[in-house]
């Protein structure tokens, strides 16, 4: 009997299948330090325990995207080990902050399948839920991924494409218990801009860029225990290049967005996300944001900005998302639609 696990191929998935992912992961202060070493993050809630306490978050949580990557990484050996690429996200909600000492475990349900016309790959949709050591939901999300078939001659399954919401409604956002931004310190945070300073349709060029390196993107992906072959094995792709994990680009772009959105402290939800082009070591990543919506929440002093975060290969001062043909503009790497919590 084989002892090793080759991972699941497209024909191994069935709609309704539930997968309990192995290796729960305990978050440590070391994770916080490594996240800050890899990404140029400067948001005050995640950088300062004193600042976090001043807005009602004690003990100081780790970055929300750090928790997302760890939870996401648990799904890779079962869902996307044999992936061509991760295609997108939807309906992601952050339910509670994660603090050092929390242990995250993830389970997924297959909610859709569609074989591609080439007969060699197919798209798998899953809904994943991460819980902590007490069984409390930390975050949940849907994603879809293109996966190789083991046998191109295997029959195609019945096509099931799930209906996913365009966005998480503002009333469905989960504001962390105790969060209070009424005495928010804009000096410590780094910028004075509050909810009312942003207008729908406004675009913000985050100016700064970071060049991707093989060492950093592979170290980050190993930190999340993401085992997808295309990120590490130069023989896994015909072109011999290691594909940068899309989540690495998300965290990099989010960190770059500090310049102009320093007070967009917490990610409350990811409405939709698409990795529109591959990224590789040597690419220089820049970012810009568009304000899609401005809303208030019932929590004291807490507002919400719906933002489109766009990462590009090379700086695009025109901040163009799509060309006249409706396709993504050359150089666009990431189109991420998310809600962030900000002071009113």
């Amino acid at each position: 009997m084989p002892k090793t696990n080759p991972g699941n191929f497209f024909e191994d998935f069935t709609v309704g299948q539930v997968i309990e992912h192995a290796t729960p992961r305990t978050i440590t202060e070391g994770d916080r330090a490594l996240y800050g070493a890899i990404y140029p993050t400067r948001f005050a809630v995640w950088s300062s325990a004193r600042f976090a306490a001043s807005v009602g978050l004690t003990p100081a949580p780790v970055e929300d995207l750090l928790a997302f990557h760890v939870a996401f990484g648990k799904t890779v050996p079962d869902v996307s080990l044999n992936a061509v690429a991760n295609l997108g996200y939807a309906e992601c909600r952050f339910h509670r902050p994660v603090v050092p000492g929390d242990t995250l475990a993830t389970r997924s349900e297959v909610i859709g399948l569609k074989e591609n016309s080439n007969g060699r790959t197919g798209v798998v949709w899953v809904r994943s839920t991460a819980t902590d050591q007490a069984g409390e939901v930390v975050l949940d999300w849907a994603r879809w991924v293109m996966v190789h078939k083991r046998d191109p001659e295997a029959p195609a399954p019945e096509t099931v494409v799930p209906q996913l919401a365009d966005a998480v409604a503002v009333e469905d956002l989960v504001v962390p218990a105790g969060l209070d931004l009424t005495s928010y310190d804009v000096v410590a945070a780094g910028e004075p801009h509050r909810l009312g300073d942003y207008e729908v349709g406004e675009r913000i060029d985050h100016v700064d860029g970071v060049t991707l390196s093989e060492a950093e993107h592979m170290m980050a992906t190993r930190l999340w225990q993401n085992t997808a072959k295309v990120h590490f094995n130069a023989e896994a792709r015909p072109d011999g290049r290691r594909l940068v994990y899309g989540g690495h680009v998300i965290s990099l772009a989010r960190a770059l967005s500090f310049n102009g959105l320093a007070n967009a402290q917490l990610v409350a939800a990811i409405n939709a996300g698409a990795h529109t082009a591959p990224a590789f070591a040597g690419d220089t990543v820049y970012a810009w944001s568009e304000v899609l919506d401005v809303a208030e929440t019932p929590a004291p002093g807490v507002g919400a900005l719906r933002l489109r975060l766009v990462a590009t290969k090379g700086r695009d001062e025109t901040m163009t998302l799509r060309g006249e043909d409706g396709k993504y503009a050359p150089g666009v790497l990431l189109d991420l639609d998310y809600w962030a919590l900000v002071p009113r």
Side-chain angles (χ1 to χ4, degrees), residues 5-328:
N5 177 15
N8 290 317
F9 291 85
F10 179 70
E11 58 264 47
D12 297 323
F13 294 98
T14 58
V15 173
Q17 177 183 2
V18 175
I19 305 169
E20 301 285 350
H21 302 295
T23 322
R25 171 84 148 72
T26 301
I27 306 301
T28 69
E29 287 290 353
D31 292 312
R32 187 200 305 277
L34 274 172
Y35 191 94
I38 295 168
Y39 306 110
T41 182
R42 290 185 287 156
F43 293 97
V45 162
W46 318 116
S47 301
S48 165
R50 183 177 180 182
F51 189 95
S54 75
V55 298
L57 299 179
T58 305
V62 298
E63 193 119 4
D64 33 36
L65 288 178
L66 188 160
F68 173 79
H69 294 316
V70 169
F72 180 97
K74 300 295 96 187
T75 72
V76 170
D78 301 308
V79 175
S80 49
L81 187 65
N82 296 305
V84 180
N86 190 59
L87 299 178
Y89 313 89
E91 298 182 357
C92 174
R93 289 197 304 164
F94 293 80
H95 292 260
R96 57 194 302 116
V98 172
V99 301
D102 282 348
T103 298
L104 305 186
T106 311
R107 69 194 298 267
S108 297
E109 179 182 357
V110 179
I111 59 174
L113 293 170
K114 184 179 185 296
E115 184 172 285
N116 290 327
S117 58
N118 62 18
R120 298 190 298 273
T121 60
V123 179
V124 181
W125 285 263
V126 297
R127 187 178 301 281
S128 302
T129 303
T131 54
D132 63 16
Q133 64 280 1
E136 299 287 345
V137 175
V138 172
L139 68 150
D140 58 356
W141 72 98
R143 71 158 170 144
W144 49 105
V145 58
M146 189 185 302
V147 180
H148 287 291
K149 290 182 71 175
R150 178 188 291 105
D151 176 9
E153 301 303 318
E158 178 184 357
T159 296
V160 176
V161 178
Q163 295 296 312
L164 299 171
D166 292 334
V168 176
V170 66
E171 59 268 21
D172 292 331
L173 298 180
V174 181
V175 178
L179 184 66
D180 184 342
L181 301 185
T182 54
S183 299
Y184 188 87
D185 185 347
V186 294
V187 175
E191 287 180 355
H193 315 303
R194 296 175 178 268
L195 184 72
D197 296 317
Y198 294 94
E199 297 181 358
V200 173
E202 178 180 0
R203 293 192 174 187
I204 304 163
D205 182 355
H206 301 302
V207 180
D208 307 303
V210 172
T211 301
L212 297 169
S213 73
E214 293 281 24
E216 286 180 337
H217 90 79
M218 288 193 292
M219 180 170 64
T221 309
R222 287 196 181 99
L223 182 62
W224 323 131
Q225 297 179 329
N226 181 330
T227 56
K229 300 171 186 177
V230 291
H231 303 319
F232 304 106
N233 186 343
E235 297 179 354
R237 288 173 50 91
D239 61 7
R241 305 176 77 186
R242 300 176 185 90
L243 180 70
V244 173
Y245 161 49
H248 186 70
V249 177
I250 291 175
S251 274
L252 184 56
R254 162 72 174 155
L256 292 173
S257 75
F258 177 89
N259 190 352
L261 284 167
N263 294 323
Q265 291 284 355
L266 294 88
V267 176
I270 296 174
N271 300 307
H275 300 293
T276 58
F280 300 98
D283 292 346
T284 299
V285 177
Y286 292 82
W288 57 269
S289 293
E290 179 182 4
V291 179
L292 302 178
D293 200 0
V294 178
E296 296 189 358
T297 79
V302 179
L305 286 177
R306 183 178 171 190
L307 300 163
R308 165 174 279 130
L309 175 61
V310 179
T312 61
K313 176 184 174 181
R315 188 176 176 198
D316 177 15
E317 295 184 22
T318 67
M319 294 180 280
T320 302
L321 182 66
R322 295 180 185 272
E324 294 182 1
D325 58 2
K327 296 180 180 180
Y328 282 105

